[in-house]
Amino acid sequence: MRKWASIVSGALLIGACNGSGNETGAASETSTGTSSTGTTTGTTGTTALPTEPTTAPTTTADETSTSSGTTGVEGGCGETSPPAEPIAWDKGQPDISGCATIRGLREVRAIMHLHSHHSHDACDGDPQPGGVPDEDCLADLREGLCTPRIDVAMLSDHPVHASEAAYEELLLMRGMDEPILGDGGTPIASWLKCPDGHKVMVMPGIESGEMMPFGLEKHVTDVYGTSSPAAFAAIKEAGALAWVAHTEGRDVAELATLGLDGIEFYQLHANLDPDIRMEYLGLPGNDYLAAVIPFFLTEGRQPDLATLGFLLPNEPSIVALETLGQTQRLTISAGTDAHQNVFTTIATDGERGDSYRRMIRWFNNRIRTTELTPQAIKAALRAGNNHIVFESLGTPVGFDFHAEGAEVVEMGAEVSLAGAPLTLRATLPTLDPRSPQGATAPTTRGVLYRATEGQREELMTWSSGQIELEAPGPGVYRVEVWITPKHLLPYLGDAPEYADSEAPWVYSGALFVRP
């Protein structure tokens, strides 16, 4: 972590002094290892041709119509038309609280894996100067959750200082914030009150090298540094979800023994940390810097779009899900891992490069839940009802992936083919008209994958609407949505090529189909 911080901060400083911000970074590769022609990839290297998709048309907004829609407008959720003129970049995101439910479930935005001043390496490595919390850093964190309209913040502070603090201190309550009481009448979460009336549910958690329990309802002693079935059972007894971070660096055989609820499917550091890139992703350590730095230093480029310079799939974590999923059911998550301790240089928008607000806006988890309570959120995550959205590229509307057999099967569920045939249904999202966008619409590509033991098949690719396919057999099924962000051209300045470079937009949760 600190090595990455030193490399990036040094590079940004050199760029500011030498004018490297005027360089045009080359668009990074965003291939998943499969092509649009339907080549199968996997550990065995076998190939198969995809089935021709059947599509149902979707309604798209009239590009020539006018609208005053911006990310500050409540509700909407694709119901308005895109504007005739580009929307000014908004540091926030559209309000999704008024969006329609999906089979009775509402979507909420969640940040899963987030560090406060209770982590020893947060806040530029000095989170508690003189033993007192860095209130300025905490204020940045609060703003970082409020401005992008996050609904749930699942903290993951390091045992130093988190295990030394009273549990109630981990709730980060200030001012008008309110505790959320559990069945025993003691606080288990809190409502962080935003200036505009929005509320964020804050749930404590821990991240060590061995585990990342989310939603702890009390401290557990002597387990955070242990990776064993007994240690994970102990944190479950404390109300937490059994999770691991940095899946790309974990031994899959060991993970299979731990009784996990979920794993990180995407981890920001895997794209940015030189050591992780080289050791686990097989990429050069620092090559991405030439693409990323100009986003922060060049006038005309939107710094929030720096993801276009580094966003890549975490292939080892995808393989881990596909491997473990042959015998167990797991939920996926995306780890923001924000500490506000890396990019200290001020970008052209007046914020430091790694501001909490910026990193939290880059991507989030979309939990589908019956209600916004700690119990319901954790139940949804245990059930696997979560997908990942890289929302800096735009807010998706209408994404869905589920199956129908004897009953409806939601993302994350396990289902047998013994009772009835299973029909898979997936719907490509459209761009929320309140998202920043220019006159040209983006293009999207959906990919439906099936993973069996040692092999990954690309069953279908499609470019609009909904597909239906009868599951050809057991396996781990999931959907990726890729976007070519032509709508972002007004925010790219001297690097228009990124508008034509495909990037991941949505990762579905998996369906675990058994014989």
Side-chain angles (χ1 to χ4, degrees):
M1 180 65 187
R2 301 309 302 167
K3 178 180 178 181
W4 173 39
S6 299
I7 290 173
V8 175
S9 294
L12 284 169
L13 179 61
I14 293 170
C17 294
N18 294 344
S20 65
N22 293 322
E23 298 174 7
T24 300
S28 62
E29 294 292 328
T30 54
S31 172
T32 61
T34 60
S35 70
S36 58
T37 60
T39 304
T40 300
T41 65
T43 54
T44 62
T46 56
T47 61
L49 293 176
T51 305
E52 181 68 19
T54 58
T55 63
T58 57
T59 302
T60 57
D62 179 4
E63 294 181 26
T64 64
S65 63
T66 61
S67 170
S68 60
T70 70
T71 58
V73 174
E74 294 184 359
C77 306
E79 298 168 4
T80 59
S81 299
E85 299 295 329
I87 296 174
W89 190 265
D90 194 317
K91 292 187 175 184
Q93 299 177 131
D95 178 8
I96 61 171
S97 63
C99 297
T101 60
I102 300 172
R103 293 179 294 280
L105 301 174
R106 60 170 290 195
E107 282 192 6
V108 298
R109 287 188 182 102
I111 296 299
M112 300 176 65
H113 195 159
L114 178 64
H115 295 267
S116 76
H117 63 267
H118 289 296
S119 290
H120 68 280
D121 54 351
C123 307
D124 294 321
D126 192 16
Q128 298 186 22
V132 178
D134 184 337
E135 294 293 336
D136 289 339
C137 187
L138 177 57
D140 289 345
L141 173 55
R142 295 174 66 92
E143 180 184 357
L145 294 169
C146 289
T147 301
R149 304 189 71 82
I150 300 302
D151 298 298
V152 179
M154 308 199 82
L155 297 172
S156 53
D157 281 308
H158 295 306
V160 182
H161 305 282
S163 62
E164 303 161 358
Y167 175 84
E168 289 75 11
E169 294 179 50
L170 303 182
L171 300 175
L172 306 183
M173 288 190 294
R174 298 291 189 274
M176 300 298 290
D177 296 348
E178 296 177 354
I180 301 174
L181 305 182
D183 294 338
T186 58
I188 60 170
S190 66
W191 286 116
L192 184 156
K193 301 288 189 68
C194 300
D196 65 354
H198 182 70
K199 297 193 300 183
V200 183
M201 182 185 295
V202 176
M203 305 173 72
I206 295 290
E207 185 212 0
S208 68
E210 288 70 33
M211 62 166 59
M212 186 170 61
F214 284 131
L216 278 169
E217 297 182 6
K218 60 182 179 181
H219 270 311
V220 185
T221 58
D222 301 326
V223 300
Y224 299 143
T226 305
S227 181
S228 70
F232 279 92
I235 61 101
K236 286 184 177 182
E237 290 176 5
L241 300 167
W243 228 268
V244 293
H246 299 282
T247 309
E248 75 283 343
R250 298 296 296 262
D251 179 71
V252 174
E254 183 207 6
L255 295 181
T257 69
L258 300 178
L260 297 175
D261 292 312
I263 61 173
E264 277 188 337
F265 191 73
Y266 176 80
Q267 224 294 333
L268 180 64
H269 288 182
N271 280 180
L272 296 177
D273 186 285
D275 291 338
I276 297 176
R277 287 171 62 86
M278 290 187 291
E279 183 172 358
Y280 298 111
L281 303 188
L283 300 171
N286 302 324
D287 65 322
Y288 69 95
L289 290 173
V292 171
I293 289 173
F295 277 96
F296 296 108
L297 302 180
T298 305
E299 292 291 343
R301 292 203 207 183
Q302 173 47 244
D304 285 353
L305 293 176
T307 49
L308 290 170
F310 64 76
L311 188 56
L312 291 166
N314 294 173
E315 180 65 17
S317 299
I318 297 173
V319 171
L321 175 74
E322 294 172 337
T323 303
L324 295 168
Q326 301 304 315
T327 57
Q328 57 186 277
R329 192 215 60 74
L330 289 165
T331 306
I332 65 166
S333 69
T336 298
D337 210 350
H339 291 65
Q340 195 159 285
N341 68 348
V342 180
F343 298 85
T344 58
T345 298
I346 301 301
T348 55
D349 61 359
E351 284 186 19
R352 56 184 289 161
D354 69 339
S355 70
Y356 276 120
R357 196 265 335 151
R358 192 187 317 284
M359 293 182 70
I360 287 171
R361 196 189 186 291
W362 278 346
F363 57 88
N364 57 73
N365 299 271
R366 291 293 186 89
I367 301 172
R368 290 183 177 172
T369 179
T370 55
E371 58 183 351
L372 189 51
T373 65
Q375 295 83 357
I377 290 298
K378 287 192 280 188
L381 287 171
R382 288 190 185 98
N385 218 328
N386 184 45
H387 62 282
I388 297 166
V389 174
F390 296 95
E391 201 164 355
S392 64
L393 306 182
T395 298
V397 175
F399 172 73
D400 195 22
F401 177 49
H402 70 287
E404 295 180 12
E407 58 185 9
V408 174
V409 183
E410 300 291 351
M411 280 185 289
E414 193 172 41
V415 60
S416 172
L417 292 172
L422 191 69
T423 299
L424 306 170
R425 290 192 169 91
T427 305
L428 280 182
T430 57
L431 179 67
D432 192 310
R434 298 168 297 167
S435 290
Q437 58 193 279
T440 305
T443 59
T444 56
R445 178 174 67 95
V447 188
L448 173 63
Y449 289 105
R450 175 196 181 200
T452 54
E453 189 170 354
Q455 179 177 318
R456 180 187 305 156
E457 296 178 79
E458 185 179 293
L459 294 177
M460 280 189 176
T461 63
W462 76 107
S463 58
S464 66
Q466 183 185 85
I467 58 166
E468 295 184 1
L469 174 71
E470 183 173 324
V476 178
Y477 292 83
R478 62 185 183 84
V479 169
E480 293 181 359
V481 179
W482 290 71
I483 188 169
T484 302
K486 299 176 183 294
H487 63 294
L488 295 179
L489 183 62
Y491 318 100
L492 292 174
D494 66 344
E497 66 271 20
Y498 284 101
D500 295 312
S501 179
E502 191 179 54
W505 194 21
V506 178
Y507 288 153
S508 79
L511 291 171
F512 302 90
V513 180
R514 311 304 186 204

